[in-house]
Amino acid sequence: MASTLRNIHDNNVIGSDDTVYRFLCPVKKTGSIIGKGGEIAKQIRSDTKSNMRINEALPGCDERVVTIYSTNEELNRFGDEGELVCPALDALFKVYDMVVADFDDNNDDDDDDDDDELSKKQTVTVRMLVPSDQIGCVIGKGGQVIQNLRNDTNAQIRVIKDHLPSCALALSHDELLQIIGEPLVVREALYQVASLLHDNPSRFQHLLLPSSSTMHQPGAMLMSAALTSSHRNYAVHRDITDAREFCVCFICPSENVGGVIGKGGGFINQIRQETGATIRVNTSETDDDDCIIFISSKEFYEDQSPAVNAAIRLQHRCSEKVGKDANDLAISTRLLVSSSQIGCLIGKGGAVISEMRSVTRANIKILQKDVPKIAREDEEMVQITGNPDAAMKALTQVILRLRANSFDMDHGLFLLPTSLPYTESSNKSKYAKRDDYTKLNSNSKRRNNVS
């Protein structure tokens, strides 16, 4: 009972034994699980007694993360047989059914007699993010578990480690679980997979909710405190004098400045208005090749960061295209960072920068020499090179670490090991198979005088 009460009243915390699912919902389908004013999502939470949060997609990402979590106690009646399952599993299938039903709405003109035939012809895809220390329960030793799942359900089940969507957690190792097949086949496979995940929680799942964001938050962009929290969610009064200024300093090719500003200042003003960040173009210290784009905001660590959001949105316009031809879309993003902070990006023995390179697949360099003339003596340059997706993930990693360091909170950033051993404590789920279911403070005078 205590666990149940905690689940209902303390929905901003994921416990070590809770059940957590992160379902990737296509952007065009999210309306079917949110509803007008969030009514459908609220109803799912109410009916299942689970918690559900829906994050906005990153620009250019066509999926949104739906995080569903609850106590692992089997409290809910599920399916025709009334089997007891945990609230999160119940909610996961309500979300799945609504997304699939939304697909079927396009076929409402078909006769009911054709429903079975339609179900056979229709192919659906389910994609979920799973921490790397948890995915082993689905794969099994030598891949035996996942192969058995494929054989038992006839579904196409894959675990994808590379080229993850940009909505994957920036500061951890996520892997992508994908299930493809006919609706009932996918439902059965999803049930089996969800049951395994229920039985084998991630050791790091308490890190999956680093903020106190609301269930559905239009301003959110990433599952990170800097990008999903909002000061509007806090009832406790906070002294604004306790807030800190966080700054991001882009080195922008002079030829790109027009694109950053936009016609009549339209684009830069739009970003200022939508993010709340202060954005300045330093025209007083521009050399022939580069200028500085200075982004800052005064903020609390647990809140959404206007500076981080603005930096991500401006990255492409502040970057230089370095591809050799039209088919090579690589970009180079350059940042100026105080020498006193650069250590948080390197780590002991280079561990942090190596991990960021591995996670993002971008080339990340820290240059102490050969920096542009506009850099100060106490600044070094961070250069990120890669395709736009990799470069964005790398920038996110870098600025979130700088932000955490500036708030003395870098202990809260956690990179999971590249690989974790899978202890085969349980290859078999509790649930029986069912045939019908499945410190960049940079407060220098030069910075403050940027116009």
Side-chain angles (χ1 to χ4, degrees):
M1 180 63 69
S3 177
T4 304
L5 290 175
R6 183 201 61 74
N7 180 63
I8 294 173
H9 297 297
D10 192 8
N11 62 1
N12 292 324
V13 176
I14 293 179
S16 59
D17 294 325
D18 286 352
T19 298
V20 186
Y21 303 114
R22 286 183 293 150
F23 182 92
L24 295 184
C25 183
V27 170
K28 61 183 179 181
K29 304 290 186 183
T30 50
S32 63
I33 60 174
I34 295 175
K36 187 176 181 180
E39 287 302 317
I40 294 177
K42 291 176 184 176
Q43 192 65 46
I44 294 174
R45 295 179 77 198
S46 175
D47 290 347
T48 65
K49 301 298 186 293
S50 67
N51 299 297
M52 183 169 75
R53 299 187 183 184
I54 304 169
N55 283 60
E56 291 290 348
L58 283 168
C61 183
D62 58 2
E63 294 172 305
R64 294 168 65 174
V65 180
V66 181
T67 304
I68 304 167
Y69 59 104
S70 75
T71 174
N72 66 354
E73 294 183 25
E74 298 162 352
L75 306 170
N76 295 18
R77 295 287 178 182
F78 180 73
D80 296 336
E81 298 177 10
E83 180 181 2
L84 285 174
V85 300
C86 72
L89 191 146
D90 190 8
L92 174 67
F93 277 86
K94 289 187 183 299
V95 168
Y96 170 80
D97 289 341
M98 288 178 177
V99 171
V100 173
D102 185 55
F103 181 94
D104 286 340
D105 284 345
N106 296 326
N107 301 282
D108 282 344
D109 293 336
D110 294 337
D111 296 332
D112 291 340
D113 294 340
D114 295 332
D115 283 350
D116 291 340
E117 188 65 26
L118 176 63
S119 179
K120 292 178 182 178
K121 293 180 180 179
Q122 179 184 337
T123 297
V124 298
T125 300
V126 165
R127 286 155 59 92
M128 298 173 66
L129 294 176
V130 182
S132 61
D133 74 312
Q134 188 182 23
I135 198 66
C137 72
V138 178
I139 298 173
K141 188 174 182 179
Q144 189 60 52
V145 173
I146 194 169
Q147 189 57 51
N148 289 342
L149 288 171
R150 291 166 179 155
N151 294 338
D152 292 344
T153 65
N154 292 318
Q156 300 176 42
I157 308 174
R158 295 179 59 202
V159 174
I160 302 170
K161 300 182 180 183
D162 299 326
H163 307 295
L164 300 183
S166 53
C167 53
L169 284 185
L171 294 173
S172 73
H173 274 292
D174 275 333
E175 299 189 19
L176 178 63
L177 178 65
Q178 179 173 282
I179 306 172
I180 302 176
E182 298 166 7
L184 292 180
V185 166
V186 171
R187 207 173 199 277
E188 165 65 20
L190 179 61
Y191 182 88
Q192 298 297 325
V193 166
S195 301
L196 289 167
L197 296 176
H198 168 274
D199 293 346
N200 299 273
S202 168
R203 284 175 284 171
F204 309 105
Q205 61 188 24
H206 63 287
L207 300 169
L208 299 179
L209 283 181
S211 70
S212 297
S213 56
T214 53
M215 173 196 67
H216 169 60
Q217 187 169 275
M221 290 181 68
L222 279 175
M223 291 184 64
S224 163
L227 291 163
T228 59
S229 297
S230 171
H231 68 277
R232 293 173 296 181
N233 300 315
Y234 292 84
V236 179
H237 174 72
R238 297 179 297 178
D239 191 341
I240 190 63
T241 60
D242 293 333
R244 298 189 188 184
E245 184 177 26
F246 175 65
C247 312
V248 177
C249 186
F250 281 124
I251 301 174
C252 178
S254 297
E255 61 187 22
N256 289 18
V257 172
V260 173
I261 297 174
K263 187 176 181 180
F267 183 76
I268 197 170
N269 287 332
Q270 178 185 348
I271 301 300
R272 287 168 175 158
Q273 182 177 2
E274 292 179 356
T275 66
T278 297
I279 308 171
R280 299 188 180 99
V281 178
N282 187 338
T283 56
S284 62
E285 295 189 39
T286 302
D287 60 25
D288 292 338
D289 300 318
D290 300 303
C291 70
I292 291 175
I293 307 297
F294 181 65
I295 306 167
S296 66
S297 58
K298 203 165 186 179
E299 54 196 54
F300 295 93
Y301 181 73
E302 65 270 18
D303 285 356
Q304 182 185 51
S305 170
V308 173
N309 279 332
I312 291 174
R313 295 185 63 175
L314 284 171
Q315 179 186 16
H316 197 79
R317 294 183 183 229
C318 292
S319 298
E320 179 183 6
K321 294 180 181 179
V322 295
K324 297 179 180 179
D325 53 52
N327 295 323
D328 187 351
L329 300 177
I331 61 172
S332 176
T333 303
R334 296 172 296 162
L335 303 171
L336 287 179
V337 177
S338 169
S339 299
S340 64
Q341 285 197 291
I342 210 72
C344 76
L345 301 179
I346 299 173
K348 187 176 181 180
V352 171
I353 193 169
S354 295
E355 189 70 2
M356 289 193 296
R357 290 166 179 159
S358 174
V359 170
T360 66
R361 297 192 175 276
N363 184 8
I364 307 173
K365 294 181 179 180
I366 296 175
L367 305 175
Q368 295 176 315
K369 299 179 180 180
D370 299 325
V371 297
K373 292 181 289 185
I374 54 177
R376 297 174 61 90
E377 291 184 1
D378 61 347
E379 290 176 325
E380 300 178 26
M381 184 173 75
V382 177
Q383 185 173 44
I384 299 167
T385 307
N387 65 62
D389 179 64
M392 183 192 68
K393 290 179 181 179
L395 176 68
T396 303
Q397 290 252 2
V398 166
I399 58 180
L400 288 182
R401 287 195 168 276
L402 291 170
R403 183 178 186 269
N405 182 261
S406 71
F407 280 88
D408 302 317
M409 292 289 290
D410 35 341
H411 62 277
L413 295 181
F414 200 96
L415 278 169
L416 303 186
T418 302
S419 60
L420 289 164
Y422 168 54
T423 302
E424 197 166 4
S425 58
S426 174
N427 276 350
K428 189 174 183 180
S429 166
K430 299 178 188 178
Y431 302 136
K433 177 185 174 184
R434 298 170 55 89
D435 291 334
D436 56 337
Y437 284 112
T438 16
K439 232 168 221 168
L440 188 58
N441 289 325
S442 298
N443 293 323
S444 67
K445 292 181 179 180
R446 186 195 73 184
R447 293 289 182 263
N448 291 330
N449 292 329
V450 173
S451 59

